[in-house]
Amino acid sequence: MEIRQLNYFIAVAEERHFGRAAKRLHMAQPPLSQQIRQLEDQLGVQLLNRTTRRVDLTAAGQLLLDRGRQIVNDVETLRADVYQVGKGATGVLRVGFSGSATYGVMPRIARLTKQVLPGLSLALNGEMLTPSMEAGLRNGTLDAALLRPPVASEEIDYRVVTQEPLVVALPSFSALAVDRPVAMHELQDQDFIAYSPESVLNRITSDLCRQAGFQPRITQVVGETSTMLAFVAAGGGVAVMPSSVRAFQLDGVAYREIDNVPPVELAVAWLRGHPSALLQNFLDIVATATADAATPAPADERLPPS
């Protein structure tokens, strides 16, 4: 039995007339009658009681009509779904992203994805460090990642999508929390709150401190950006962070620009050779969403901290 034959039979069964069914199918009546005969021969049962004026369904014909409609509908739905998946318009994409991206580009990406590809669902994994995201891309638990380069693995391709100035988050009562940029050497007597040593931002902070002539006194290591800022607000120290965290306004925290330091990069990364059209569509969305991402997202667009 073929889908084509099912469609022929359904037309005859619904019209109760071969002539009207043939007209509906845009075909001649004799070939249609022949196709129905062949279907009955294949199934070994009579499907229609034929008279000179109309046709009626046998019990077997009624069953085939009921089930056949569902089968044809399922096939059409499957065809549409396969097309959408093949074009990368629907599906689930697992995305990892750094903590600071929570307050910068990720809200834009999530919003644009919903607008452009409503059939694409993003499974978001936030507050991840670059090494963890690299591992996720390699082992298949992530499809894409918003991370801070450099990337160690040669299996991973990435594209820099934005650059951000660095700021220092200070307790609001700090003498340095004045309305002017801060130089790195002014932080030499401060306690530092930092990400773990595997973090790219940790290494950048340490390098900047050494270039300014001192070793950072790290008194607290945390895994989440929101936790880091909570420690700053409590007076536990200062933290060097991308400027997008300015969108996270917390009582007790002041943000100040840092003089004469290079910006940090944010890149979208994926496993080399990934064949998915879904991924390519996501990369296009990231490119669009980050084209104007030099400023933090408004507060009502922020993703909640993970």
Side-chain angles (χ1 to χ4, degrees):
M1 185 192 314
E2 301 175 2
I3 295 298
R4 174 175 54 86
Q5 290 175 307
L6 265 181
N7 281 316
Y8 290 163
F9 171 75
I10 290 170
V12 173
E14 289 178 345
E15 296 292 342
R16 294 295 201 273
H17 192 278
F18 276 92
R20 290 195 298 270
K23 186 175 180 180
R24 168 174 155 182
L25 294 167
H26 305 289
M27 63 185 299
Q29 182 174 333
L32 176 59
S33 299
Q34 184 179 12
Q35 287 292 325
I36 300 302
R37 287 290 188 191
Q38 288 179 0
L39 180 60
E40 289 177 319
D41 290 343
Q42 290 170 10
L43 296 176
V45 295
Q46 184 176 346
L47 300 171
L48 302 170
N49 289 318
R50 300 160 175 82
T51 68
T52 55
R53 294 188 175 183
R54 58 174 289 149
V55 294
D56 291 312
L57 295 173
T58 65
Q62 185 63 55
L63 176 62
L64 183 61
L65 176 62
D66 295 339
R67 298 277 185 88
R69 283 170 170 161
Q70 184 61 52
I71 290 170
V72 169
N73 182 68
D74 288 346
V75 169
E76 290 302 318
T77 301
L78 177 61
R79 181 181 291 116
D81 289 348
V82 168
Y83 177 81
Q84 291 295 314
V85 170
K87 293 294 183 180
T90 187
V92 177
L93 203 74
R94 299 158 300 174
V95 181
F97 57 96
S98 65
S100 55
T102 304
Y103 313 105
V105 300
M106 277 310 302
R108 288 183 174 90
I109 291 169
R111 182 184 61 189
L112 188 59
T113 299
K114 187 174 182 180
Q115 291 173 350
V116 176
L117 290 176
L120 171 56
S121 177
L122 299 181
L124 300 176
N125 301 273
E127 298 287 359
M128 296 184 71
L129 300 180
T130 291
S132 298
M133 286 187 270
E134 287 189 57
L137 292 171
R138 290 196 309 270
N139 64 30
T141 56
L142 291 179
D143 300 302
L146 274 295
L147 48 73
R148 303 284 176 188
V151 173
S153 174
E154 294 183 355
E155 300 174 65
I156 294 172
D157 285 330
Y158 70 91
R159 178 193 307 154
V160 174
V161 293
T162 189
Q163 293 183 328
E164 295 181 61
L166 287 171
V167 299
V168 58
L170 302 154
S172 56
F173 57 79
S174 170
L176 294 174
V178 293
D179 191 18
R180 65 170 178 82
V182 173
M184 281 301 301
H185 69 82
E186 294 182 272
L187 302 176
Q188 59 184 335
D189 295 326
Q190 303 293 317
D191 292 333
F192 277 76
I193 304 165
Y195 293 108
S196 70
E198 296 81 22
S199 164
V200 170
L201 283 173
N202 182 298
R203 297 198 295 272
I204 289 173
T205 300
S206 296
D207 288 344
L208 291 174
C209 291
R210 283 192 290 271
Q211 291 167 18
F214 68 97
Q215 285 288 117
R217 187 170 65 236
I218 297 175
T219 58
Q220 191 72 46
V221 175
V222 300
E224 297 183 349
T225 302
S226 55
T227 303
M228 180 179 289
L229 292 171
F231 275 111
V232 172
V238 302
V240 175
M241 315 178 83
S243 62
S244 56
V245 299
R246 287 176 180 267
F248 188 88
Q249 295 297 319
L250 186 64
D251 287 343
V253 176
Y255 300 104
R256 295 295 178 265
E257 295 178 4
I258 304 175
D259 261 341
N260 299 317
V261 296
V264 291
E265 296 177 331
L266 185 71
V268 59
W270 63 94
L271 190 66
R272 181 168 297 168
H274 197 304
S276 169
L278 199 65
L279 174 63
Q280 185 56 57
N281 284 343
F282 176 73
L283 296 180
D284 292 341
I285 286 173
V286 171
T288 301
T290 55
D292 61 347
T295 56
D300 61 353
E301 292 182 13
R302 296 198 301 267
L303 296 176
S306 299

